[in-house]
Amino acid sequence: MKKIELLYLSQEDVISVGVTMKETIPIVEDALKEHGLGETENPPKPGVHPGNSFIHAMPGYLPRKRAAGLKWVSSFSGNTALAIPPVMGLLILNDVQTGQPLAVMDCRWITAMRTGAASAVAAKFLAAKDAGVVGIVGAGVQGRYNLLALAAAVPTIETVRVFDINPQTLNGFVAALANVLEVKIEIGKSLREVIEGAQIVVTATGRLEKPIFKESWVSEGALILPVHHRGWENRTLHRVDRFVTDDWRQLNRAHREVGGFDGPLPNRHAELGEIIAGKKPGRRNEKERIIDFNYGLAIEDVAMAMEIYTRAKARGVGKVLPLMEGELPYA
């Protein structure tokens, strides 16, 4: 039997191959389009839920990209107090001809990048034409990566308002991005001040136990991008002009089985991939208020992992690990 090996890529290895946000956005858009065309396998993610946290298994297959894999990712908000990341996990990439594991890599950076990129893709198709003001609630990792992605995809953005209950996190947001992006960053004094008048609203808090965002704060023509469940009062979901998600089956199952938005989901209007594929319209006028909630698709992670693996192999990045050398005993 041939010796079987796989490539191990740490977080630092993954980052070092140099996939930029501008490169990530079309990778994610293409995966979403394939999903909209029905050309992928992306079953609803199963998981376990210790306490108010989760560990999810996310398998995905992109036939045209010849890419398949599984992300095993956790989110434990209490980790911050322990000085370890709230989100951690691994991504396994497999050969689609033999099933052989090709690589195991850190998925934390991939998750942050593709989540931000999904918001950017949504803004490309659903934001008002001249959107200039972004409101961000939550200045942590997802708040930062969402802004990086939106700034790369929406050239009309001029001002960003940001609010966070943690002053240290808020100051870190400004320090990290003020000299990186050519936008004006304003620190908001309240949730309402950040959301009112913004054409794009990102709520990137942790999972909230009760609604704190009001429908009355949402301006005409706004695009709302919730990164996590709940937070918005339920009537917002039903009073906006359209509710879009990345995968209705996955969102509906998660909402039914483990809880999601506060109260019932609205009627399905469209999946983001259907809009990208031209099967359903994007923004229809400048007055529409739209919510796009991207629960997260494994195919986005797999597409990113394949690009990272290809670059790592070409550049000799990572560590080759033995998986098996001989037959099983008694075979």
Side-chain angles (χ1 to χ4, degrees):
M1 187 184 80
K2 292 183 178 178
K3 182 179 180 180
I4 305 296
E5 298 176 326
L6 57 83
L7 184 65
Y8 170 74
L9 299 170
S10 68
Q11 173 183 278
E12 287 66 32
D13 291 332
V14 168
I15 295 171
S16 75
V17 302
V19 180
T20 67
M21 185 59 82
K22 284 190 175 182
E23 292 171 324
T24 298
I25 292 169
I27 291 173
V28 170
E29 180 177 336
D30 186 60
L32 284 164
K33 181 179 180 181
E34 292 291 291
H35 182 265
L37 292 170
E39 298 293 336
T40 67
E41 285 189 52
N42 197 105
K45 45 190 165 187
V48 293
H49 304 85
N52 198 30
S53 304
F54 68 77
I55 313 174
H56 282 164
M58 299 176 62
Y61 173 41
L62 288 153
R64 293 183 188 178
K65 286 189 174 292
R66 302 176 61 79
L70 169 77
K71 185 169 78 168
W72 180 238
V73 62
S74 63
S75 179
F76 283 67
S77 57
N79 286 358
T80 304
L82 304 174
I84 59 176
V87 174
M88 291 186 282
L90 295 171
L91 200 152
I92 304 170
L93 197 63
N94 294 79
D95 185 286
V96 297
Q97 285 187 306
T98 66
Q100 176 183 334
L102 298 174
V104 174
M105 65 187 75
D106 169 75
C107 76
R108 182 175 173 232
W109 182 84
I110 293 171
T111 300
M113 289 285 282
R114 66 80 157 151
T115 304
S119 291
V121 174
K124 177 179 174 181
F125 289 89
L126 300 172
K129 182 171 60 176
D130 297 319
V133 179
V134 175
I136 296 180
V137 180
V141 169
Q142 277 307 327
R144 299 181 190 196
Y145 277 82
N146 266 258
L147 178 54
L148 286 169
L150 289 170
V154 186
T156 56
I157 294 173
E158 297 178 348
T159 303
V160 177
R161 304 172 189 159
V162 60
F163 177 83
D164 197 287
I165 60 173
N166 187 320
Q168 185 176 355
T169 302
L170 192 56
N171 291 333
F173 180 100
V174 176
L177 300 177
N179 296 321
V180 175
L181 303 174
E182 295 181 1
V183 298
K184 181 181 179 182
I185 299 178
E186 299 177 349
I187 295 177
K189 296 178 181 178
S190 68
L191 301 172
R192 182 172 184 171
E193 183 178 279
V194 166
I195 293 172
E196 276 191 333
Q199 284 89 43
I200 302 174
V201 177
V202 177
T203 51
T205 62
R207 177 170 166 165
L208 300 168
E209 292 305 311
K210 61 181 181 180
I212 61 174
F213 309 124
K214 306 295 184 183
E215 180 265 336
S216 61
W217 299 346
V218 182
S219 299
E220 185 178 87
L223 169 64
I224 304 170
L225 299 166
V227 177
H228 296 293
H229 278 163
R230 300 186 182 178
W232 285 95
E233 59 181 353
N234 190 253
R235 71 177 191 171
T236 312
L237 280 62
H238 299 267
R239 290 192 176 185
V240 295
D241 296 286
R242 279 203 290 169
F243 183 88
V244 179
T245 187
D246 51 3
D247 187 294
W248 183 259
R249 183 169 65 121
Q250 177 170 264
L251 178 62
N252 192 51
R253 173 178 164 176
H255 186 79
R256 184 179 65 251
E257 295 183 359
V258 300
F261 287 109
D262 187 66
L265 292 174
N267 294 328
R268 169 183 171 175
H269 291 143
E271 290 183 345
L272 184 54
E274 293 175 323
I275 294 170
I276 297 167
K279 296 169 75 172
K280 292 191 177 179
R283 173 172 287 274
R284 293 171 289 195
N285 61 66
E286 296 304 290
K287 294 183 178 182
E288 275 193 312
R289 298 191 305 169
I290 301 171
I291 289 180
D292 175 75
F293 178 61
N294 297 312
Y295 191 53
L297 299 184
I299 52 174
E300 300 165 357
D301 299 293
V302 170
M304 284 287 288
M306 180 57 79
E307 178 66 24
I308 289 163
Y309 171 73
T310 301
R311 294 191 187 194
K313 288 279 287 183
R315 301 178 188 184
V317 173
K319 183 176 182 179
V320 176
L321 299 177
L323 183 64
M324 61 186 74
E325 295 189 25
E327 298 288 350
L328 289 172
Y330 316 115

